[in-house]
Structures are given as structure tokens and as C-alpha cells.
Amino acid sequence: MKIILKLLLLLAFLSYLIFAFARLVGGRDETKCTAVNVVIADSVHSGFITQEEVVRLLDATGLNPVGKEMEDINGDTIEQTLLKNTFIKLAKCYKTPGGRVNIHVAQRLPIIRVMAANGDDYYVDSNGYFMKPKEYNADLVVATGDISRQYARDKLLDLARYLHDHEFANDLITQVNVDTQKRVDLVPRIGCQTIHLGQLDSATVVSQLANLHAFYSKVLPTVGWNTYREISLEYTNQIVCKKY
């Protein structure tokens, strides 16, 4: 990501120099913008920010440059407006000769959605940055219950990263619930009704979920997926189950 951002900055700077030189030589540029070119730096990943979404944001704020004289198009204003969207990490806008405006965007990718008991509703990325949900929806694990923003950063983030980065865990878990004592339960798509993690500890959560993976891979296919109604991972190197 750092390399991508540096390349974007370099490209924007070089294009600006070319455009600035053209202005100095030719005076006011009355050429009208004929096209806006939007590039999403990490479009290979699923995300909310698409080329169409950037154009929609420009239309909604009256900043779509198409049809305007190049001299009147303010790239800084376009950048600052786009950055008001919390899903956009970086926006660079620059003009090139021929009536084209280029916009390069790097987006934030959420890894979990929090819908807390206190009414808070937001997405969180892998760096702990909070994003307003607006009208965006994604097929992500949802965390519910007694979750403050501080708890989301300090405790929940490690769990969210693991669930997002490991295909098995990401496919298995649909919900994380935190009770008033900060005990955490996971709700799986298949198998038992509830998986108890206890209070989250960054030092043990990885081993807990690794044990869960082993249990689902080796034990449940043998004894049956619906044999247990609860699984507890609260105890070190132990898995305690309750049958239906």
C-alpha cells in the first residue's frame, strides 16, 4: 500500500508540472473538460469505493468537472470533498492537457461491522479506523452487544483481523457478541449454536481460534455437526462441549 501511495503522489506531481507549464506558456486554459478518469488503487479487493461511486460523489456535490473550463476546476477542492467520505484514505486530483481530469483514490477496507447496544453503528478497518456505514452494506462479521469504541480498538480488533485474514474463520463465523461482563461469544454458520471465547486476550485469541479450526476439521466430521449445542474455548488448551 505504501508503494502505491508513493506512486500516486509522484504521478500527480509530474502531471501537475506538465499542466502548470502549459498554463504558463498559453495563459488561461479555456479548454473544457471532456472526461474524468477515476482510478481506484486497490480495486482488486472488494470495497465500497468504485469508479461509479466517486463520480456519484462528485455529482452530488456539484464538482463533476466534465463540461467545465479546465481553468475553473479546483483539484484541491475535489480532493478535500472526496476525503470527507470515511472510506477514502487518499485522493489525488490533477489535470492533463487535452481536457482530462484524473482522480486517483486509495480506499479503506472494512473488516468488521459493529452494531453496539448503545446505538453505535460503524465499520472498522484493520488499522482501527472507524467508518460511517451510510448506505453501504457488506458481507462482514457483525459485532453486537456492549462495545465501546475504545473496546473495539483495544480488544475486538485482534479478533476481527484473525476472522478476516483466515478463510476458515471468515467463512464460519457470522456474529460476535459481547455481554456486559465483556465475555465474548461467536455465532457460527454451521455446527453448534454458540462458541464461548470468554474475555478477549490478544495473547491467547489466536491459539483459541486455531483450536476451533482443528475441532471443526477433525472432530465434528466424525461425531456429527449437530452433536453439540455449545463449545467453550475459555480454558487454555481445552475445548469443553455441551451436547444437545
Short mmCIF file of all heavy atoms in Angstrom, two decimals, residues 51-86:
data_model
loop_
_atom_site.label_atom_id
_atom_site.label_comp_id
_atom_site.label_asym_id
_atom_site.label_seq_id
_atom_site.Cartn_x
_atom_site.Cartn_y
_atom_site.Cartn_z
N GLN A 51 -15.34 3.31 -9.19
CA GLN A 51 -15.31 4.45 -10.09
C GLN A 51 -16.67 5.14 -10.14
O GLN A 51 -16.77 6.37 -10.10
CB GLN A 51 -14.90 3.99 -11.49
CG GLN A 51 -13.47 3.47 -11.59
CD GLN A 51 -13.14 2.94 -12.97
OE1 GLN A 51 -14.03 2.52 -13.71
NE2 GLN A 51 -11.87 2.94 -13.31
N GLU A 52 -17.72 4.32 -10.18
CA GLU A 52 -19.07 4.87 -10.24
C GLU A 52 -19.42 5.64 -8.97
O GLU A 52 -20.09 6.68 -9.02
CB GLU A 52 -20.10 3.75 -10.46
CG GLU A 52 -20.01 3.05 -11.81
CD GLU A 52 -18.83 2.09 -11.91
OE1 GLU A 52 -18.27 1.71 -10.85
OE2 GLU A 52 -18.50 1.71 -13.04
N GLU A 53 -18.93 5.14 -7.82
CA GLU A 53 -19.22 5.81 -6.56
C GLU A 53 -18.51 7.16 -6.48
O GLU A 53 -19.08 8.15 -5.99
CB GLU A 53 -18.79 4.92 -5.38
CG GLU A 53 -18.92 5.57 -4.00
CD GLU A 53 -20.35 5.90 -3.61
OE1 GLU A 53 -21.29 5.60 -4.38
OE2 GLU A 53 -20.54 6.48 -2.52
N VAL A 54 -17.28 7.25 -6.97
CA VAL A 54 -16.56 8.52 -6.98
C VAL A 54 -17.30 9.54 -7.84
O VAL A 54 -17.48 10.70 -7.45
CB VAL A 54 -15.11 8.34 -7.48
CG1 VAL A 54 -14.44 9.69 -7.70
CG2 VAL A 54 -14.31 7.52 -6.47
N VAL A 55 -17.74 9.12 -9.03
CA VAL A 55 -18.48 10.03 -9.92
C VAL A 55 -19.79 10.46 -9.24
O VAL A 55 -20.19 11.62 -9.34
CB VAL A 55 -18.76 9.35 -11.27
CG1 VAL A 55 -19.69 10.22 -12.13
CG2 VAL A 55 -17.45 9.10 -12.01
N ARG A 56 -20.44 9.52 -8.54
CA ARG A 56 -21.68 9.87 -7.84
C ARG A 56 -21.43 10.93 -6.78
O ARG A 56 -22.22 11.87 -6.61
CB ARG A 56 -22.29 8.62 -7.20
CG ARG A 56 -23.67 8.85 -6.58
CD ARG A 56 -24.10 7.67 -5.73
NE ARG A 56 -23.34 7.59 -4.50
CZ ARG A 56 -23.56 8.35 -3.43
NH1 ARG A 56 -24.51 9.27 -3.44
NH2 ARG A 56 -22.83 8.19 -2.35
N LEU A 57 -20.30 10.78 -6.04
CA LEU A 57 -19.96 11.77 -5.01
C LEU A 57 -19.70 13.14 -5.63
O LEU A 57 -20.09 14.17 -5.08
CB LEU A 57 -18.74 11.30 -4.23
CG LEU A 57 -18.93 10.07 -3.34
CD1 LEU A 57 -17.58 9.59 -2.79
CD2 LEU A 57 -19.88 10.38 -2.18
N LEU A 58 -19.04 13.15 -6.80
CA LEU A 58 -18.79 14.41 -7.48
C LEU A 58 -20.08 15.05 -7.97
O LEU A 58 -20.28 16.27 -7.86
CB LEU A 58 -17.84 14.18 -8.66
CG LEU A 58 -16.42 13.73 -8.32
CD1 LEU A 58 -15.63 13.46 -9.61
CD2 LEU A 58 -15.70 14.76 -7.47
N ASP A 59 -20.98 14.24 -8.52
CA ASP A 59 -22.27 14.75 -8.98
C ASP A 59 -23.08 15.34 -7.83
O ASP A 59 -23.69 16.40 -7.96
CB ASP A 59 -23.07 13.64 -9.66
CG ASP A 59 -22.53 13.26 -11.03
OD1 ASP A 59 -21.82 14.10 -11.63
OD2 ASP A 59 -22.79 12.13 -11.48
N ALA A 60 -23.05 14.64 -6.68
CA ALA A 60 -23.85 15.07 -5.53
C ALA A 60 -23.38 16.40 -4.96
O ALA A 60 -24.17 17.13 -4.34
CB ALA A 60 -23.82 13.99 -4.44
N THR A 61 -22.10 16.72 -5.15
CA THR A 61 -21.56 17.97 -4.60
C THR A 61 -21.34 19.04 -5.67
O THR A 61 -20.78 20.10 -5.39
CB THR A 61 -20.21 17.69 -3.90
OG1 THR A 61 -19.33 17.00 -4.80
CG2 THR A 61 -20.42 16.83 -2.66
N GLY A 62 -21.77 18.75 -6.90
CA GLY A 62 -21.62 19.72 -7.97
C GLY A 62 -20.20 19.90 -8.44
O GLY A 62 -19.86 20.94 -9.03
N LEU A 63 -19.35 18.92 -8.20
CA LEU A 63 -17.93 19.04 -8.53
C LEU A 63 -17.51 18.19 -9.72
O LEU A 63 -16.32 18.11 -10.02
CB LEU A 63 -17.07 18.68 -7.31
CG LEU A 63 -17.14 19.65 -6.14
CD1 LEU A 63 -16.34 19.10 -4.95
CD2 LEU A 63 -16.62 21.02 -6.54
N ASN A 64 -18.45 17.57 -10.39
CA ASN A 64 -18.08 16.81 -11.58
C ASN A 64 -17.49 17.78 -12.60
O ASN A 64 -18.16 18.72 -13.03
CB ASN A 64 -19.29 16.09 -12.16
CG ASN A 64 -18.90 15.04 -13.18
OD1 ASN A 64 -17.94 15.22 -13.94
ND2 ASN A 64 -19.62 13.94 -13.20
N PRO A 65 -16.24 17.58 -12.99
CA PRO A 65 -15.57 18.57 -13.85
C PRO A 65 -15.98 18.54 -15.31
O PRO A 65 -15.68 19.49 -16.05
CB PRO A 65 -14.09 18.18 -13.70
CG PRO A 65 -14.11 16.72 -13.42
CD PRO A 65 -15.34 16.48 -12.62
N VAL A 66 -16.65 17.49 -15.75
CA VAL A 66 -16.99 17.37 -17.16
C VAL A 66 -17.85 18.55 -17.60
O VAL A 66 -18.87 18.87 -16.98
CB VAL A 66 -17.71 16.04 -17.44
CG1 VAL A 66 -18.17 15.97 -18.90
CG2 VAL A 66 -16.80 14.87 -17.12
N GLY A 67 -17.41 19.23 -18.67
CA GLY A 67 -18.15 20.37 -19.21
C GLY A 67 -17.68 21.71 -18.68
O GLY A 67 -18.05 22.76 -19.21
N LYS A 68 -16.85 21.71 -17.64
CA LYS A 68 -16.34 22.95 -17.07
C LYS A 68 -15.00 23.30 -17.72
O LYS A 68 -14.27 22.42 -18.18
CB LYS A 68 -16.16 22.81 -15.56
CG LYS A 68 -17.46 22.55 -14.81
CD LYS A 68 -17.20 22.40 -13.31
CE LYS A 68 -18.50 22.11 -12.56
NZ LYS A 68 -18.27 21.93 -11.11
N GLU A 69 -14.69 24.60 -17.73
CA GLU A 69 -13.39 25.01 -18.24
C GLU A 69 -12.29 24.52 -17.30
O GLU A 69 -12.43 24.58 -16.08
CB GLU A 69 -13.32 26.53 -18.38
CG GLU A 69 -14.19 27.07 -19.50
CD GLU A 69 -13.96 28.56 -19.73
OE1 GLU A 69 -13.07 29.14 -19.07
OE2 GLU A 69 -14.66 29.13 -20.60
N MET A 70 -11.22 24.03 -17.86
CA MET A 70 -10.13 23.47 -17.07
C MET A 70 -9.59 24.49 -16.06
O MET A 70 -9.19 24.14 -14.95
CB MET A 70 -9.01 22.99 -17.99
CG MET A 70 -9.40 21.86 -18.93
SD MET A 70 -9.78 20.31 -18.09
CE MET A 70 -8.13 19.70 -17.75
N GLU A 71 -9.60 25.76 -16.44
CA GLU A 71 -9.09 26.81 -15.55
C GLU A 71 -9.90 26.91 -14.27
O GLU A 71 -9.40 27.29 -13.22
CB GLU A 71 -9.11 28.15 -16.28
CG GLU A 71 -8.44 29.29 -15.53
CD GLU A 71 -6.93 29.21 -15.58
OE1 GLU A 71 -6.40 28.45 -16.43
OE2 GLU A 71 -6.28 29.90 -14.78
N ASP A 72 -11.18 26.57 -14.34
CA ASP A 72 -12.09 26.73 -13.21
C ASP A 72 -12.19 25.49 -12.33
O ASP A 72 -12.90 25.49 -11.32
CB ASP A 72 -13.49 27.11 -13.71
CG ASP A 72 -13.50 28.46 -14.43
OD1 ASP A 72 -12.69 29.33 -14.04
OD2 ASP A 72 -14.31 28.63 -15.36
N ILE A 73 -11.51 24.42 -12.70
CA ILE A 73 -11.59 23.18 -11.94
C ILE A 73 -10.52 23.19 -10.85
O ILE A 73 -9.32 23.33 -11.13
CB ILE A 73 -11.39 21.96 -12.86
CG1 ILE A 73 -12.53 21.91 -13.90
CG2 ILE A 73 -11.36 20.66 -12.05
CD1 ILE A 73 -12.29 20.91 -15.01
N ASN A 74 -10.95 23.07 -9.61
CA ASN A 74 -10.04 23.12 -8.47
C ASN A 74 -9.79 21.71 -7.94
O ASN A 74 -10.67 21.10 -7.31
CB ASN A 74 -10.62 24.00 -7.37
CG ASN A 74 -9.62 24.29 -6.26
OD1 ASN A 74 -8.92 23.39 -5.80
ND2 ASN A 74 -9.56 25.54 -5.82
N GLY A 75 -8.61 21.18 -8.22
CA GLY A 75 -8.29 19.82 -7.79
C GLY A 75 -8.27 19.66 -6.29
O GLY A 75 -8.69 18.62 -5.76
N ASP A 76 -7.80 20.70 -5.57
CA ASP A 76 -7.75 20.62 -4.10
C ASP A 76 -9.15 20.47 -3.51
O ASP A 76 -9.37 19.70 -2.57
CB ASP A 76 -7.08 21.86 -3.52
CG ASP A 76 -5.58 21.88 -3.79
OD1 ASP A 76 -5.02 20.80 -4.05
OD2 ASP A 76 -4.99 22.97 -3.73
N THR A 77 -10.10 21.22 -4.07
CA THR A 77 -11.48 21.14 -3.58
C THR A 77 -12.06 19.75 -3.82
O THR A 77 -12.74 19.19 -2.95
CB THR A 77 -12.36 22.19 -4.27
OG1 THR A 77 -11.84 23.49 -4.00
CG2 THR A 77 -13.80 22.11 -3.78
N ILE A 78 -11.78 19.18 -4.97
CA ILE A 78 -12.26 17.83 -5.27
C ILE A 78 -11.65 16.83 -4.29
O ILE A 78 -12.35 15.97 -3.74
CB ILE A 78 -11.93 17.45 -6.73
CG1 ILE A 78 -12.79 18.27 -7.69
CG2 ILE A 78 -12.12 15.95 -6.96
CD1 ILE A 78 -12.46 18.07 -9.15
N GLU A 79 -10.35 16.95 -4.03
CA GLU A 79 -9.68 16.04 -3.10
C GLU A 79 -10.28 16.13 -1.71
O GLU A 79 -10.61 15.10 -1.09
CB GLU A 79 -8.19 16.37 -3.03
CG GLU A 79 -7.42 16.02 -4.30
CD GLU A 79 -5.99 16.53 -4.27
OE1 GLU A 79 -5.56 17.05 -3.21
OE2 GLU A 79 -5.30 16.40 -5.29
N GLN A 80 -10.43 17.35 -1.19
CA GLN A 80 -10.94 17.53 0.17
C GLN A 80 -12.38 17.06 0.30
O GLN A 80 -12.78 16.52 1.34
CB GLN A 80 -10.82 19.00 0.59
CG GLN A 80 -9.39 19.49 0.73
CD GLN A 80 -8.56 18.61 1.65
OE1 GLN A 80 -9.00 18.27 2.76
NE2 GLN A 80 -7.36 18.25 1.20
N THR A 81 -13.15 17.22 -0.75
CA THR A 81 -14.54 16.75 -0.72
C THR A 81 -14.60 15.23 -0.68
O THR A 81 -15.37 14.64 0.09
CB THR A 81 -15.30 17.29 -1.94
OG1 THR A 81 -15.30 18.72 -1.90
CG2 THR A 81 -16.74 16.79 -1.94
N LEU A 82 -13.79 14.60 -1.50
CA LEU A 82 -13.77 13.13 -1.51
C LEU A 82 -13.29 12.56 -0.18
O LEU A 82 -13.79 11.53 0.29
CB LEU A 82 -12.90 12.61 -2.65
CG LEU A 82 -13.42 12.86 -4.07
CD1 LEU A 82 -12.41 12.36 -5.11
CD2 LEU A 82 -14.78 12.18 -4.28
N LEU A 83 -12.33 13.24 0.45
CA LEU A 83 -11.78 12.75 1.72
C LEU A 83 -12.78 12.84 2.88
O LEU A 83 -12.55 12.27 3.94
CB LEU A 83 -10.51 13.51 2.08
CG LEU A 83 -9.28 13.18 1.20
CD1 LEU A 83 -8.13 14.12 1.51
CD2 LEU A 83 -8.85 11.73 1.42
N LYS A 84 -13.89 13.55 2.68
CA LYS A 84 -14.93 13.58 3.71
C LYS A 84 -15.63 12.23 3.82
O LYS A 84 -16.27 11.94 4.83
CB LYS A 84 -15.94 14.68 3.39
CG LYS A 84 -15.39 16.09 3.54
CD LYS A 84 -16.43 17.14 3.17
CE LYS A 84 -15.85 18.55 3.31
NZ LYS A 84 -16.83 19.59 2.91
N ASN A 85 -15.51 11.44 2.76
CA ASN A 85 -16.04 10.08 2.82
C ASN A 85 -15.04 9.23 3.60
O ASN A 85 -13.88 9.09 3.19
CB ASN A 85 -16.23 9.53 1.41
CG ASN A 85 -16.88 8.16 1.40
OD1 ASN A 85 -16.36 7.21 1.97
ND2 ASN A 85 -18.02 8.05 0.72
N THR A 86 -15.46 8.66 4.71
CA THR A 86 -14.52 7.96 5.60
C THR A 86 -13.96 6.68 4.99
O THR A 86 -13.00 6.11 5.52
CB THR A 86 -15.19 7.61 6.94
OG1 THR A 86 -16.41 6.89 6.70
CG2 THR A 86 -15.51 8.89 7.72
#
